Amino acid sequence: MTLASPLTAGRIAVTGSSGKLGGYTVADLAEAGYDVVALDVAPAPPAVREASVAALAVDLTDLGQVVDALEGCDGVVHLANIPAPGLRPEGVTFTTNVAMNQAVFSAARTLGLRRVVWASSETTLGLPLDTPPWYAPIDEAHFPRPESTYALSKVVTEQMAATYARWTGVSHVGLRFSNVMTIQDYRDLFPPAWDDPAARRWNLWSYIDARDAATACRAGLVASEESLGGAGSAPNVIIAAADTCMRRDSAELLAEEFPGVELRREVRGTQSLFDISAAERVLGWRPEHSWRDEGDALI
Ligand SMILES: NC(=O)c1ccc[n+]([C@@H]2O[C@H](COP(=O)([O-])OP(=O)(O)OC[C@H]3O[C@@H](n4cnc5c(N)ncnc54)[C@H](O)[C@@H]3O)[C@@H](O)[C@H]2O)c1
């Protein structure tokens, strides 16, 4: 099988474009010169309107609408989903997400899109950690450990992605995003956790800056087939910041909150307790932002 060329240009659909991560992703891809089509059931927010891209109202659970909407695209960055447990009844979260993800993968297959990048989640790895992790730093092999129907929908979708990738020879890149944060989130959410480590121990004090999550989507489009593992690959990689949201040493926090959990390699200072080396190896992506760079107001 010949290897498809990476998508360094062309027409890219971004689903979930009216959402938290969608706006950053549309802006990043438009800035990088892609011809972006924004797809969401909700109206386009200012970030999408300012990027001056085409925007279409679509219900992505409806395969017919998805096929219509993706026609003429070279690739898709699929972010639309119910984005967390507890927002909708459990069964609705599962069936809606799986229906949406299947429709997008199926439409991409029908239309011959050349790359699918989609939002998986750190929750596939055992979050929230009401029971301790098997080990730390958590890496891609700390899987599958869904603890909610939301996480289960992502685990099932990772299997679907692998299947569609095998059927089509088109790589499907799954991004296991950590908790996505804006600068305002840093102000609202991190300081209260500094004196209360239990507040954010559920994900080992991890996060991802929304701007870095957007560049990870672009890295998924431009990564070569070779680095993804060959034509029809379906790698799923952790996308997290290089540090924690805390001011105390990570190893010390782990020992205190999860006594007895093995620390498999040295973690220095406030370094993340998630291993992000696979994303660098497979996608050539590294986070560039930390809450620590956002000014004295936070510290
Ligand atoms: N926010 C996080 O911390 C986080 C962490 C890990 C993974 N993720 C994943 O990243 C993705 C984006 O998350 P987000 O925080 O931007 O979520 P969000 O809720 O802000 O955005 C999701 C968007 O999808 C749209 N959508 C939902 N159902 C739809 C449908 N049937 N048809 C068309 N559009 C529909 C919504 O209108 C919304 O604009 C999701 O897949 C989520 O599961 C998010």
Side-chain angles (χ1 to χ4, degrees), residues 18-31:
S18 302
K20 183 176 194 179
L21 181 49
Y24 286 89
T25 304
V26 167
D28 177 81
L29 293 179
E31 169 79 24

Side-chain angles (χ1 to χ4, degrees), residues 16 18-22 40-42 58-61 79-83 100 119-122 150 154 177-180:
S18 302
K20 183 176 194 179
L21 181 49
D40 203 298
V41 77
V58 186
D59 180 352
L60 295 158
T61 58
L79 305 175
N81 259 189
I82 297 169
M100 220 181 303
S120 185
S121 163
E122 64 178 356
Y150 166 75
K154 299 291 193 183
F177 289 118
S178 188
N179 202 184
V180 178

Side-chain angles (χ1 to χ4, degrees), residues 186 207 209 211-212 241 243 288-294:
Y186 293 153
Y207 72 102
D209 187 287
R211 295 164 290 183
D212 284 333
D243 62 350
E288 287 184 354
H289 296 281
S290 163
W291 65 269
R292 282 168 236 274
D293 304 329
E294 297 308 330

Side-chain angles (χ1 to χ4, degrees), residues 164-185:
Y164 276 93
R166 182 169 58 79
W167 287 346
T168 56
V170 168
S171 292
H172 286 50
V173 180
L175 304 174
R176 291 176 177 166
F177 289 118
S178 188
N179 202 184
V180 178
M181 296 286 163
T182 62
I183 293 172
Q184 189 57 48
D185 291 330

